[in-house]
Each structure stands twice: as C-alpha cells, then as structure tokens.
C-alpha cells in the first residue's frame, strides 16, 4: 500500500468507508466512493476456484492421459466426476474462508471510520472530503459553521455554488492541481467575503484507494484571521495592548485582594459566630432557667439545657428517649391546659406563656413558668420555638404568703373598724345612757314617795326623752362618719379604670384560678365621678366575686366585666361572677349595713359602695344570674359636654 504523503494520513490506509460509486456506502450520513480493492474479491475467488480445480485434477487423476484411451473410458469418467466434485467442494471452502475474512475486515473498517468521523467532528478546523469533481462528500460541523451554512446545504455541491466566484475559482483550481499532481498542497489565502477579510490556511491532499487511484480530495482549512490581525497590530497597538493587559492585571490583582479581604472577614465572622455560639452554649448550660428549642419539622425538643434535670428531676437522656417525659410530669390538673397551649403553639402561633405545676419523682410540687417565642426563617415561616422555663416555686410561695397577709390585714382592718366603731358607740352612748338611768332612778324615787304629784315627773321624763334622742343622734352621726366620702368630682374612663383595678386584683384572681373576660363598649363616653372612689367600689365588688367563687362547690370560675352606654345620660358597668349567687328575696338586705353571710364578714362593703355610687348620682344594685352566680351593676352619669 502506497502513500503519497508521509505526514498526513493516506485515505487508503485510514480505511475510509468502502463503497463503490455505483453502490454508495454510509459515512457519517454521506455517500463516499468505495475503494475498488473490496470488489476484487469475487475475481480472486474465481481465479482461486479454477486453479484449485486444476490442482485436484492433476493430483487425483495421474492417469489423465489414460483417460484419452478408449479402453478406459468408464474408469476415466469416474475419475473426472470425482475430480469435479472435489474441485467444487474446495472452491466453496475457499470462498467461505475469504467471505468471513472480508466481513471481519469490513467491520474493523467501520469501527475505524466511526472513530475517524468522531475525531473530525471534534476538530475546531474545517475538515472535508470532495469527489474528483470537487463536490463535497463530507464536511464537519466546524466547516459548516465557518461557511455559515448547514452541513446538508453544502453536501453534493461544489465551491462555485457555495462561495463568491473569485474565491471559488481559486479553490477549484487548487482542487484540480491536487487531482492532477496527486500531491499535497498547502496554501494561505486572503479572501474578502461579504466585506470581511478572511485569512485561511488550506491543506489538501488526494483521497486514494488501496490501489493508489485518486477518488477525490481530502482537506483541512484553518482560519488564521484572528492570529494575523493580532500579528499585524502596529507597535502603538501593541503598546496599548500592553497597557490594557497591565490595567487588567492590576484590576485582577485588586479583585483578588478584595476577595482575600472578604475571605479573611468571613473567617473572622465564622470565628466570632463560633465564639458567640460557645458563649451562648455556656450561658444556656449555666443559667438556672431551662433553655429549650423545639423543632417544627422534627416535632420534638431538639435542645434542652441541663437545668432541666435539676428542676424536673428527670434525665435529659430519658427525655430524648421519651419526648413526652416532660409533659407527663405536669400536675394532672394543669396538664390538659398546657397540652392545648403546646399544640396551638406548635401548629400556629409559636408562642407559649403558661404557669403550671410539675410533680417531681420525689413527690415535691414545683411551679413552672414557661415562655416560648417563634423563630422564623427568611420567608417568615416559623421553623422553631425557642423558650425559657423558670422554676417560680419560691415566687409562688411568696405570693401565697402575701395573699394570706392581705386577707389577714383585711380581716384585721374590718375587725379594728368594728372595734373602733363599737368603742366610739360605747363612749358616745355612755353619757346619754347614764343620764337616762339617773333620770329614771330619780323618777322612781319620786314615785315611791306618797303622795307624789305626777306633774313633778314631767321635767325628768322630758330629760329622759332628750337623752334618748341624743343617743339616736350619736348613732346617726357615727353612721355619717362611716359613710361620708368627700368626693373629688372628675372625668372617668370606665374602660381604662377596669384595667387598672384588674391589675391590682391580678394576684388574687390568679391564685383563685379565675379567668377574666372583658366585654367593654367601644367609644364609651367619659363619666363624671371620683376616680379613686369608683376604683374602690369596683375593687370591692371584684373581691366579693372572688370570695363568692372561692366556695368549694362552685364550678367554672369566670369573672366577666362589661361596660355599656345605658342611655344618653348614663353609663353602666356590670361585674358578673359564677359563684353560688344569692337568694333574690335578700337583694335589699345585701346593701344594709352589717348584713353579712360570711364568718368573718363586716357587712359594710356593699352599703358603703352603694352610698359612694349614690353620692355621685349613680345607682348600684344586684341581680342573681339565671344560670347561677351574681351580677352587680352600677350606673354613673355621662360627662356633659361643656
Ligand atoms: P361582707 O363582704 O363583709 O359580708 P358586704 O356588704 O360586701 O359585706 O356583702 C354583704 C353580703 O352580700 C355578703 O355577706 C354576701 O352574703 C352577699 N354578697 C356580696 N357579694 C356577693 C356575691 N358576689 N355573690 C353572692 N353574694 C354576695
């Protein structure tokens, strides 16, 4: 096998596709002429067939000459037939061997062709195969791109159909020279195509079959335009380029330094973050409060600080094993309420604010105040709840003590009022009573004397009557002292007032586990009253309600305070409780001084409250609730506009 070009591959050696011009084969989707060598197999086979036959004829029939002898016709005929059969069999065998060799060779060629096609398709330069006439049989994708056409548009067309006449004529002339000379051609040409100057390097060589027959042209075209334009730049351009490169380098150095600074800052930040996390961890692990984090996706506590073990008396490991461990330690009376809050928090609000009791393994009761806050991601989605749980047992005990002291103080003050009242009464009444006794004794002495003129008794009896009247005056005066409340008339916002009174009473309400409902009227006009005295009345009514609901057998403990505008001239406030209520026939008696049904009661609260409200041009009354409990109502005049 010959090669006309020692550097570039010989098409015959490269096993390009094998198919005849009459019987086109496939090569990367195009038709290529098949090298003739492949079609010489049948000829070779026929030749081998005849030579084999003659050999067997000579080898097996040495008496060939005898065959010509008429005496040996029959044996000669047999020899001819047997020789013929052997010739046919040997020929068939040889044909089969050649056929299988040929198909193996064909498959190997196909594989090589595929690899070559792949290689040509990967090239950045144009690669092509033309037939002898200069028609494109193959063009790679880079070539089509360079020509600004599709591969299909270029195939089976020559350069005159694809390039301007001036360009095409040069290319066609080169092709003809390659075909005529059968040698490699290398040319660098500058073409003006559609106003653009292109510098192209052509390398073309003949495409031959195994017999060195030229089937067409193989070629590679490289676009040197960018390279040449760089080379052709003037020294001034080069200097500019140098400056540009220097500027760009300086920019890149700047960017690099900024990046380095950013990386350093980020590292600093990460260190700071780690340090702050560490500080936070140390803080969380040393504070007395229990710090905890609940994960919404995980549906469990994902962190709890060691204080949990101290307060709950349960281990954190046990909590990790049984996530409900903390909740099962809650006092049975408080557990449903806490569970409801936790459910609401984990499903929607993310907020927790609950006080509850836990029972430690040693049976001790502890009061806990748990608060939780939602932690949101950038999209505002609550993905965690972070919280603190505090052991408030000491505070609760202090509150209890305070409450007991308050109650005691109230009882004492009531007692001392009663004592003071009684001693005042005793002191004030002592004198008229002594006078009455003395006058009565004088009358008796006179009556015992006989005869006695009854008219002498008139003056003494008048004195007795006077002293009796004086005693009545004293009692009335004392009552006035009790009930007289000098009022400082001003403007009062009843809705605001109820908030401050509830604030005073919040400890008592919480301890009695009473829930408060407010039903306050919007835009309630101001009333004309003494703010402090009305606060005392409301506090008194609320304390009565708490005491009423503290009775053991009462059911739900609910205090409802409502306000309303009753008519254009007056506003109404109602304090409603769910205590045992009162007998409706006793409604009037409740407001009498010293009426009480409580063991340590004074029976003055309601009567004093009524006198205060009436002194401020309002009314106070009570009604039993249809569904149990009592309601106390009072009105006050709406502040007249000046
Ligand atoms: P005290 O509270 O010292 O008994 P009060 O004048 O405040 O005196 O109350 C008088 C009585 O009215 C109480 O003893 C009680 O019987 C009744 N009373 C007051 N408030 C309520 C209430 N909210 N529910 C039922 N009864 C009440």
């Amino acid at each position: 096998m010959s090669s006309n070009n020692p550097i570039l591959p010989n098409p015959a050696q490269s096993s390009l596709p094998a198919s005849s011009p009459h019987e086109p084969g496939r090569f990367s989707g195009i038709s290529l002429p098949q090298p003739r060598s492949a079609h010489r197999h049948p000829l070779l086979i026929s030749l081998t067939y005849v030579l084999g036959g003659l050999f067997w004829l000579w080898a097996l029939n040495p008496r060939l000459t005898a065959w010509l002898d008429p005496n040996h016709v029959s044996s000669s005929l047999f020899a001819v037939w047997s020789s013929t059969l052997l010739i046919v069999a040997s020929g068939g065998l040889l044909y089969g061997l050649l056929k299988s060799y040929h198909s193996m060779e064909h498959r190997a060629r196909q594989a090589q062709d595929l690899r070559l096609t792949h290689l040509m398709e990967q090239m950045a330069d144009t690669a092509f195969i033309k037939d002898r006439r200069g028609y494109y049989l193959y063009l790679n994708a880079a070539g089509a791109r360079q020509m600004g056409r599709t591969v299909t548009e270029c195939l089976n067309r020559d350069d005159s159909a694809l390039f301007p006449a001036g360009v095409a004529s040069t290319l066609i002339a080169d092709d003809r020279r390659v075909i005529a000379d059968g040698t490699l051609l290398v040319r660098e040409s500058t073409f003006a195509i559609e106003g653009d100057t292109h510098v192209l390097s052509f390398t073309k060589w003949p495409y031959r079959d195994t017999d060195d027959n030229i089937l067409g042209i193989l070629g590679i075209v490289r676009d040197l335009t960018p390279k040449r334009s760089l080379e052709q730049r003037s020294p001034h351009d080069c200097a500019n380029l140098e400056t540009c490169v220097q500027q760009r380098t300086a920019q890149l150095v700047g960017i690099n330094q900024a990046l380095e600074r950013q990386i350093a800052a980020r590292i600093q930040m990460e260190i700071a973050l780690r340090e702050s996390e560490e500080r936070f961890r140390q803080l969380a692990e040393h504070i007395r409060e229990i710090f905890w984090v609940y994960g919404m996706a995980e549906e469990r506590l994902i962190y709890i600080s060691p204080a949990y073990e101290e307060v709950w008396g349960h281990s954190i490991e046990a909590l990790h094993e049984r996530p409900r461990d903390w909740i099962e330690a809650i006092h049975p009376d408080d557990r449903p309420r806490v569970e409801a809050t936790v459910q609401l928090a984990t499903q929607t609000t993310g907020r927790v604010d609950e006080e509850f009791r836990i029972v430690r393994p040693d049976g001790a009761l502890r009061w806990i105040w748990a608060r939780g806050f939602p932690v949101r991601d950038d999209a505002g989605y609550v993905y965690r709840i972070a919280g603190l749980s505090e052991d408030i047992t000491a505070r609760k005990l202090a509150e209890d003590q305070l409450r007991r002291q308050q109650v005691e103080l109230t009882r004492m003050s009531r007692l001392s009022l009663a004592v003071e009242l009684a001693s005042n009464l005793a002191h004030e009444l002592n004198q008229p009573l002594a006078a009455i006794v003395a006058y009565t004794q004088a009358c008796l002495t006179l009556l015992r004397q006989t005869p006695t003129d009854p008219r002498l008794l008139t003056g003494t009896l008048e004195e007795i009557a006077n002293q009796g009247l004086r005693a009545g005056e004293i009692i009335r005066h004392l009552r006035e002292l009790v009930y007289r409340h000098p009022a400082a008339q001003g403007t009062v916002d009843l809705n605001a007032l109820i908030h401050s009174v509830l604030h005073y009473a919040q400890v008592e309400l919480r301890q009695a586990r009473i829930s408060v409902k407010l039903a306050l009227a919007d835009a309630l006009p101001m009333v004309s009253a003494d703010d402090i005295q009305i606060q005392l009345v409301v506090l008194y009514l609320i304390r009565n309600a708490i005491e009423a609901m503290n009775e053991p057998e009462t059911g739900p403990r609910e205090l409802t305070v409502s306000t309303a505008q009753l008519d254009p001239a007056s506003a109404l406030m109602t304090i409603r409780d769910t205590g045992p209520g009162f007998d409706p026939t006793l409604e009037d008696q409740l407001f009498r001084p010293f009426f009480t049904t409580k063991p340590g009661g004074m029976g003055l609260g309601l009567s004093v409250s009524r006198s205060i409200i009436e002194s401020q041009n309002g009314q106070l009354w009570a009604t039993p609730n249809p569904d149990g409990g009592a309601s106390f109502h009072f009105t006050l005049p709406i502040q007249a506009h000046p």
Side-chain angles (χ1 to χ4, degrees):
M1 300 204 188
S2 64
S3 166
N4 295 327
N5 175 12
I7 306 165
L8 293 166
N10 186 319
Q13 285 173 332
S14 71
S15 300
L16 277 169
S19 58
S20 79
H22 314 291
E23 185 192 336
R26 299 294 298 165
F27 180 82
S28 184
I30 58 165
S31 304
L32 282 179
Q34 186 184 14
R36 237 178 279 158
S37 60
H39 291 276
R40 286 180 303 141
H41 289 312
L43 204 69
L44 187 69
I45 291 160
S46 310
L47 195 64
T48 317
Y49 192 95
V50 171
L51 285 174
L54 288 173
F55 169 76
W56 284 108
L57 198 61
W58 172 79
L60 294 174
N61 197 6
R63 290 181 297 165
L64 183 65
T65 44
W67 176 65
L68 299 171
D69 186 351
N71 299 327
H72 298 91
V73 170
S74 59
S75 60
S76 300
L77 268 177
F78 170 75
V80 167
W81 279 115
S82 60
S83 300
T84 306
L85 276 173
L86 277 168
I87 288 165
V88 169
S90 306
L93 184 66
L94 267 174
Y95 181 77
L97 283 170
L98 280 169
K99 188 80 183 165
S100 72
Y101 163 75
H102 172 64
S103 82
M104 273 165 60
E105 189 192 19
H106 182 68
R107 274 202 298 278
R109 276 182 183 172
Q110 273 185 332
Q112 273 183 335
D113 291 346
L114 272 174
R115 281 197 292 275
L116 186 64
T117 313
H118 186 67
L119 178 74
M120 288 167 89
E121 284 303 316
Q122 298 304 316
M123 283 171 61
D125 295 335
T126 300
F128 63 80
I129 303 171
K130 292 176 178 174
D131 66 10
R132 287 179 69 91
R133 296 169 302 157
Y135 280 61
Y136 284 91
L137 299 174
Y138 168 78
L139 181 70
N140 69 354
R145 243 190 337 271
Q146 215 167 21
M147 289 190 197
R149 297 171 188 268
T150 64
V151 172
T152 325
E153 276 171 2
C154 302
L155 294 180
N156 295 319
R157 298 171 84 182
D158 67 356
D159 289 326
S160 65
L162 299 170
F163 295 104
V167 176
S169 62
T170 310
L171 298 179
I172 291 168
D174 282 352
D175 289 352
R176 285 187 183 144
R177 242 177 62 202
V178 170
I179 299 277
D181 300 353
T183 54
L184 173 76
L185 182 143
V186 180
R187 169 200 281 282
E188 189 176 308
S189 301
T190 304
F191 294 122
I193 304 171
E194 292 177 2
D196 291 332
T197 306
H198 294 267
V199 183
L200 301 170
S201 159
F202 292 89
T203 306
K204 296 181 180 179
W205 68 97
Y207 171 37
R208 297 170 189 273
D209 66 8
T210 47
D211 292 337
D212 246 9
N213 298 311
I214 296 176
L215 303 176
I217 304 132
L218 273 158
I220 292 176
V221 184
R222 175 162 292 181
D223 188 356
L224 301 175
T225 315
K227 192 173 164 219
R228 288 288 175 272
S229 73
L230 260 182
E231 287 168 1
Q232 283 163 13
R233 275 176 194 272
S234 65
H236 174 70
D237 287 343
C238 286
N240 273 349
L241 191 66
E242 187 72 15
T243 317
C244 286
V245 169
Q246 277 171 3
Q247 281 174 352
R248 189 73 190 130
T249 310
Q251 272 178 3
L252 286 173
V253 168
I255 291 169
N256 201 28
Q257 282 169 350
L259 268 174
E260 278 173 6
R261 277 197 299 277
Q262 276 181 19
I263 291 167
R266 180 160 287 217
I267 290 170
Q268 286 285 326
M269 227 168 70
E270 279 174 7
I271 291 170
L273 195 68
R274 266 204 298 279
E275 280 175 358
S276 101
E277 273 176 7
E278 177 56 21
R279 277 201 297 276
F280 176 76
R281 193 185 61 78
Q282 287 191 8
L283 177 76
E285 303 211 339
H286 290 97
I287 52 171
R288 277 176 48 251
E289 288 83 3
I290 304 162
F291 176 69
W292 50 267
V293 180
Y294 180 89
M296 297 299 214
E298 296 84 355
E299 293 186 351
R300 62 176 177 83
L301 284 171
I302 53 175
Y303 174 78
I304 192 154
S305 62
Y308 168 77
E309 299 192 338
E310 157 64 23
V311 176
W312 250 258
H314 291 229
S315 73
I316 291 178
E317 283 78 38
L319 183 64
H320 286 315
E321 279 165 22
R322 286 176 287 114
R324 280 183 57 79
D325 203 46
W326 74 273
I327 220 161
E328 277 161 10
I330 295 176
H331 191 284
D333 288 354
D334 299 344
R335 202 182 302 147
R337 174 170 51 86
V338 176
E339 283 194 295
T341 306
V342 168
Q343 198 179 12
L344 191 70
T346 52
Q347 284 172 3
T348 49
T349 60
R351 291 196 177 276
V352 178
D353 189 356
E354 277 294 333
E355 279 185 12
F356 54 88
R357 291 160 294 172
I358 58 163
V359 185
R360 285 168 52 90
D362 57 8
L365 214 67
R366 292 254 178 122
W367 273 95
I368 308 293
W369 180 24
R371 283 155 294 161
F373 314 94
V375 183
R376 299 174 190 279
D377 61 14
D378 292 344
Y381 171 75
V382 179
Y383 71 107
R384 279 185 189 165
I385 304 173
L388 278 178
S389 295
E390 192 182 340
D391 182 349
I392 54 162
T393 314
R395 197 187 85 195
K396 280 281 178 186
L397 289 176
E399 276 177 10
D400 272 352
Q401 194 157 354
L402 188 70
R403 182 173 178 261
R404 274 199 296 277
Q405 282 170 352
Q406 275 179 343
V407 172
E408 189 60 17
L409 210 65
T410 315
R411 200 179 68 79
M412 289 295 289
S413 66
R414 283 181 178 182
L415 213 63
S416 63
L417 178 66
V419 169
E420 198 181 338
L421 210 69
S423 69
N424 264 335
L425 265 177
H427 177 76
E428 295 289 327
L429 291 178
N430 205 24
Q431 209 186 352
L433 286 176
I436 289 168
V437 171
Y439 284 122
T440 312
Q441 280 174 346
C443 283
L444 285 172
T445 310
L446 278 173
L447 284 171
R448 280 193 197 108
Q449 290 172 3
T450 48
T452 305
D453 185 356
R455 280 172 297 179
L456 291 174
L457 298 176
T458 318
T460 315
L461 287 172
E462 277 175 354
E463 271 307 314
I464 291 171
N466 284 341
Q467 291 301 324
L469 285 172
R470 199 172 150 228
E473 268 307 302
I474 288 166
I475 291 172
R476 199 164 44 252
H477 179 68
L478 273 174
R479 280 189 62 191
E480 273 175 13
L481 271 182
V482 172
Y483 294 141
R484 193 179 305 138
H485 307 277
Q489 216 66 8
T491 52
V492 177
D493 175 353
L494 285 180
N495 287 349
L497 181 140
I498 185 62
H499 282 296
S500 47
V501 176
L502 284 172
H503 181 70
Y504 303 142
Q506 65 177 345
V507 175
E508 289 164 66
L509 286 163
R510 198 165 57 227
Q511 282 177 342
R513 283 182 282 122
I514 292 171
S515 61
V516 178
K517 276 190 179 173
L518 294 179
L520 306 180
D522 289 336
L524 186 71
M526 304 286 256
V527 294
S528 168
D530 178 332
D531 188 49
I532 300 293
Q533 290 197 7
I534 303 302
Q535 282 194 39
L536 279 174
V537 170
V538 175
L539 192 60
Y540 221 96
L541 296 176
I542 287 176
R543 284 204 170 132
N544 270 346
I546 294 172
E547 284 172 359
M549 287 190 279
N550 258 340
E551 306 236 341
E553 68 272 16
T554 55
R557 298 176 171 198
E558 210 169 84
L559 178 82
T560 311
V561 183
S562 54
T563 54
Q565 185 170 353
L566 193 63
D567 54 54
S570 53
L572 170 76
M573 180 179 280
T574 299
I575 289 145
R576 187 179 197 279
D577 63 55
T578 54
F582 58 86
D583 182 349
T585 56
L586 294 179
E587 201 252 312
D588 271 347
Q589 289 193 47
L590 301 186
F591 294 92
R592 286 207 185 137
F594 306 111
F595 174 84
T596 181
T597 56
K598 298 171 192 168
M602 272 285 295
L604 286 174
L606 286 180
S607 72
V608 169
S609 298
R610 179 174 266 182
S611 80
I612 289 174
I613 293 291
E614 285 177 353
S615 74
Q616 299 188 32
N617 307 317
Q619 285 180 327
L620 171 65
W621 71 100
T623 53
N625 299 333
D627 52 347
S631 292
F632 286 80
H633 321 264
F634 68 83
T635 59
L636 283 169
I638 285 173
Q639 167 87 15
H641 289 290

